[in-house]
C-alpha cells in the first residue's frame, strides 16, 4: 500500500523555540516512520515581514540544521526550501484566483500581524494563507502537522482544494490538520495569556532550542505564575498551567502525577526541576546541531536532494492544474 503524504513548514524568522518543537517538529519526527514526508522551510512566507537579507540567508541554514538536529532524517524525508521550487508561487497565483477577499479578511493571523506591522501591511501578508495552501496542495498532502495557530489557514487550504475540485474535477487531496492534543499552543513565559512566538521582541518570552543551560534556568525562574502555591493545572492560572504542560510533555507524566510529585513543594522547586528537565531534553539536539551546522557541504547536499524530490512531485500537480484551468502546454 502506498504511504500517505505529510507536508509541513516553518518560517525562517526569529529563533526556533520550544513551542515550535512541541507543536510541530516533534510530530514531524514521529511521522517520518509511517508517512512519505515533505518538510519545507518557507522563506517566501518570511519576507511578508521585512527581513535583513544577510540574516535571512544565515537563518535558513540554521533552521535546516535544526530540522536535522531535531531528528528529521534526510534519508527518510524530503527537506527543502520553498523558493527553490517555483511551483509554490505559480500554484499560489491560480489559487488566488479562486479565493474570495472575504475569506482572507477573516484570517485572524493577518489581523494580528497587521497590528504589529502597521507600516508594512503588504499584499503578501494578506494573501499569505493562499501561498500556504499552495505549499500543501502541491504535494497532495493527506496530513499537515501544525500547532493550533495554523488551524484557520488549514481550513482555507481544505476549502480551496474542495472548490478547485468541484470547479475543474478531482485534482487535489483534501488535507487534514494534525494538531497534538497537548502542547498545540505553548504560551509566552512572561505574558502567559498570549502564545509563545519565535519572533517575540522579548527573548524572555520563549526558550529557544539553542539556549544555553544558564539562560534556560534564568528564563524559567522569571516565568510569570500567580500568587497561588499549588502545582496544579487550572485554566484560570495560565502561567503555571503552561509550565506544567511543558513539563508533562517532556517527562510524559500526566498532570495528576505532576501534582502528586510536587504536593508539598513550591514554585521554586518546580521551576528548578522544570529548567533541568528542559536542559536535558535539548542537550542531544544542541550537540547534534553544532556538528551539522558546521558542515555546509552536507547541508547543501541535503537541500539539493530535497529540492529534486519536491520539484518532481510539485511539477506533476502544477501541470495537471494548468491543464485543467485551460492553459496551453508550452511546446
Ligand atoms: P510558524 O513558522 O509560525 O511556526 C511553525 C510551527 O510551529 C507551530 N507553533 C506553535 N506550536 C505550539 N505552540 C506555540 N506557541 C507555537 N508557535 C508556533 C506552528 O503552528 C507551526 O506548525 N504559516 C506557517 C508556516 C507554513 C506552513 C505551510 C505550515 C507555511 N506553509 C504549510 C504547514 C504547512 C507558520 O508561519 O508557522
Amino acid at each position: 500500500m502506498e504511504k500517505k503524504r505529510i507536508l509541513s513548514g516553518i518560517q525562517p524568522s526569529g529563533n526556533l523555540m520550544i513551542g515550535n518543537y512541541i507543536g510541530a517538529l516533534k510530530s514531524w519526527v514521529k511521522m517520518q516512520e509511517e508517512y512519505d514526508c515533505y518538510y519545507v522551510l518557507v522563506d517566501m512566507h518570511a519576507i511578508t515581514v521585512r527581513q535583513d537579507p544577510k540574516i535571512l540567508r544565515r537563518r535558513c541554514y540554521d533552521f535546516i540544521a535544526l530540522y536535522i538536529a531535531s531528528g528529521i532524517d534526510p534519508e527518510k524525508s524530503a527537506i527543502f526550501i520553498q523558493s527553490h521550487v517555483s511551483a509554490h508561487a505559480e500554484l499560489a497565483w491560480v489559487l488566488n484566483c479562486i479565493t474570495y477577499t472575504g475569506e482572507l479578511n477573516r484570517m485572524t493571523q493577518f489581523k494580528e500581524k497587521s497590528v504589529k506591522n502597521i507600516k508594512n501591511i503588504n499584499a503578501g501578508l494578506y494573501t499569505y494563507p493562499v501561498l500556504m495552501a499552495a505549499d500543501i496542495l502541491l504535494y497532495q498532502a493527506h496530513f499537515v502537522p501544525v500547532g493550533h495557530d495554523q488551524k484557520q489557514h488549514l481550513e482555507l487550504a481544505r476549502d480551496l482544494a474542495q472548490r478547485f475540485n468541484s470547479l475543474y474535477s478531482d485534482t487535489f487531496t483534501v488535507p487534514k490538520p494534525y494538531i497534538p492534543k497537548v502542547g498545540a499552543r505553548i504560551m509566552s513565559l512572561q505574558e502567559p495569556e498570549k502564545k509563545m512566538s519565535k519572533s517575540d521582541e522579548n527573548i524572555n518570552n520563549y526558550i529557544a532550542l539553542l539556549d544555553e543551560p544558564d539562560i534556560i534556568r534564568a528564563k524559567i525562574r522569571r516565568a510569570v505564575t500567580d500568587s497561588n502555591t499549588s502545582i496544579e493545572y487550572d485554566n484560570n492560572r495560565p502561567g503555571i498551567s503552561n509550565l506544567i504542560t511543558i513539563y508533562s510533555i517532556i517527562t510524559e507524566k500526566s498532570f495528576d502525577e505532576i501534582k502528586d510529585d510536587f504536593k508539598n513543594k513550591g514554585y521554586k522547586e518546580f521551576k528548578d526541576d522544570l529548567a533541568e528537565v528542559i536542559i536535558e531534553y535539548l542537550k542531544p539536539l544542541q550537540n547534534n546541531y553544532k556538528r551539522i551546522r558546521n558542515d555546509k557541504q552536507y547541508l547543501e547536499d541535503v537541500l539539493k536532494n530535497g529540492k529534486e524530490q519536491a520539484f518532481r512531485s510539485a511539477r506533476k500537480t502544477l501541470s495537471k492544474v494548468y491543464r485543467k484551468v485551460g492553459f496551453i502546454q508550452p511546446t
Side-chain angles (χ1 to χ4, degrees), residues 160-177:
L160 294 180
Q162 279 160 343
R163 189 170 306 151
F164 190 96
N165 288 350
S166 70
L167 282 169
Y168 299 103
S169 83
D170 233 15
T171 308
F172 294 121
T173 304
V174 180
K176 290 200 181 80

Side-chain angles (χ1 to χ4, degrees), residues 35-50:
Y35 298 96
D36 181 21
C37 299
Y38 287 76
Y39 295 130
V40 55
L41 186 68
V42 291
D43 54 351
M44 289 161 68
H45 278 91
I47 62 163
T48 54
V49 172
R50 212 77 83 212

Side-chain angles (χ1 to χ4, degrees), residues 2-138:
E2 228 177 275
K3 284 183 174 175
K4 292 228 157 107
R5 274 281 167 85
I6 302 293
L7 178 125
S8 197
I10 294 181
Q11 283 192 62
S13 55
N15 290 302
L16 212 53
M17 49 84 189
I18 199 155
N20 304 121
Y21 186 80
I22 292 173
L25 269 170
K26 192 167 175 280
S27 310
W28 296 15
V29 174
K30 209 169 65 196
M31 291 175 116
Q32 319 178 84
E33 306 305 325
E34 218 183 306
Y35 298 96
D36 181 21
C37 299
Y38 287 76
Y39 295 130
V40 55
L41 186 68
V42 291
D43 54 351
M44 289 161 68
H45 278 91
I47 62 163
T48 54
V49 172
R50 212 77 83 212
Q51 302 284 344
D52 176 328
K54 237 197 259 148
I55 297 176
L56 179 61
R57 212 169 288 131
R58 196 188 61 220
R59 198 184 279 132
C60 283
Y61 286 110
D62 294 348
F63 274 42
I64 292 296
L66 276 167
Y67 279 14
I68 301 168
S70 306
I72 308 295
D73 179 353
E75 302 285 323
K76 293 182 185 151
S77 304
I79 300 175
F80 66 103
I81 294 196
Q82 188 182 31
S83 65
H84 290 182
V85 182
S86 60
H88 289 249
E90 294 174 81
L91 179 61
W93 180 255
V94 177
L95 295 179
N96 263 317
C97 298
I98 62 159
T99 306
Y100 305 119
T101 52
E103 290 175 303
L104 298 180
N105 291 339
R106 282 198 293 275
M107 294 291 141
T108 54
Q109 209 165 70
F110 171 68
K111 291 182 203 162
E112 285 164 18
K113 287 197 177 173
S114 303
V115 174
K116 276 193 216 150
N117 299 283
I118 195 81
K119 292 209 180 103
N120 183 22
I121 307 177
N122 60 73
L125 198 62
Y126 184 60
T127 59
Y128 164 122
V130 181
L131 178 59
M132 177 162 163
D135 298 339
I136 298 165
L137 302 185
L138 265 181

Side-chain angles (χ1 to χ4, degrees), residues 47-286:
I47 62 163
T48 54
V49 172
R50 212 77 83 212
Q51 302 284 344
D52 176 328
K54 237 197 259 148
I55 297 176
L56 179 61
R57 212 169 288 131
R58 196 188 61 220
R59 198 184 279 132
C60 283
Y61 286 110
D62 294 348
F63 274 42
I64 292 296
L66 276 167
Y67 279 14
I68 301 168
S70 306
I72 308 295
D73 179 353
E75 302 285 323
K76 293 182 185 151
S77 304
I79 300 175
F80 66 103
I81 294 196
Q82 188 182 31
S83 65
H84 290 182
V85 182
S86 60
H88 289 249
E90 294 174 81
L91 179 61
W93 180 255
V94 177
L95 295 179
N96 263 317
C97 298
I98 62 159
T99 306
Y100 305 119
T101 52
E103 290 175 303
L104 298 180
N105 291 339
R106 282 198 293 275
M107 294 291 141
T108 54
Q109 209 165 70
F110 171 68
K111 291 182 203 162
E112 285 164 18
K113 287 197 177 173
S114 303
V115 174
K116 276 193 216 150
N117 299 283
I118 195 81
K119 292 209 180 103
N120 183 22
I121 307 177
N122 60 73
L125 198 62
Y126 184 60
T127 59
Y128 164 122
V130 181
L131 178 59
M132 177 162 163
D135 298 339
I136 298 165
L137 302 185
L138 265 181
Y139 298 91
Q140 307 288 354
H142 297 88
F143 299 106
V144 183
V146 282
H148 186 267
D149 62 340
Q150 298 302 317
K151 193 164 176 261
Q152 196 185 30
H153 293 160
L154 249 296
E155 276 156 15
L156 180 72
R158 286 172 60 83
D159 288 346
L160 294 180
Q162 279 160 343
R163 189 170 306 151
F164 190 96
N165 288 350
S166 70
L167 282 169
Y168 299 103
S169 83
D170 233 15
T171 308
F172 294 121
T173 304
V174 180
K176 290 200 181 80
Y178 176 92
I179 298 176
K181 285 201 181 67
V182 183
R185 193 172 160 80
I186 299 294
M187 308 309 279
S188 149
L189 297 177
Q190 297 287 313
E191 297 161 82
E193 48 300 311
K194 69 173 206 190
K195 69 164 187 170
M196 190 180 276
S197 163
K198 62 172 144 55
S199 28
D200 203 313
E201 274 169 21
N202 179 359
I203 58 167
N204 286 320
N205 274 334
Y206 59 81
I207 303 281
L209 296 183
L210 296 176
D211 272 347
E212 301 280 346
D214 277 344
I215 302 282
I216 296 177
R217 288 187 190 104
K219 287 183 177 178
I220 294 293
R221 210 177 306 127
R222 264 188 235 143
V224 167
T225 46
D226 52 45
S227 57
N228 223 308
T229 50
S230 63
I231 312 300
E232 195 172 357
Y233 189 95
D234 176 347
N235 285 332
N236 299 316
R237 296 167 62 198
I240 188 68
S241 298
N242 187 42
L243 299 182
I244 292 174
T245 302
I246 298 172
Y247 193 96
S248 163
I249 287 161
I250 298 181
T251 60
E252 297 180 0
K253 286 186 179 174
S254 69
F255 295 164
D256 281 343
E257 276 175 276
I258 297 168
K259 183 177 156 193
D260 282 350
D261 287 355
F262 290 93
K263 203 178 227 149
N264 299 313
K265 297 178 183 163
Y267 283 162
K268 179 171 183 319
E269 278 148 306
F270 173 67
K271 282 181 166 180
D272 286 350
D273 206 15
L274 173 62
E276 297 313 311
V277 159
I278 297 175
I279 291 165
E280 280 309 303
Y281 190 58
L282 294 181
K283 204 186 253 170
L285 181 154
Q286 295 185 348

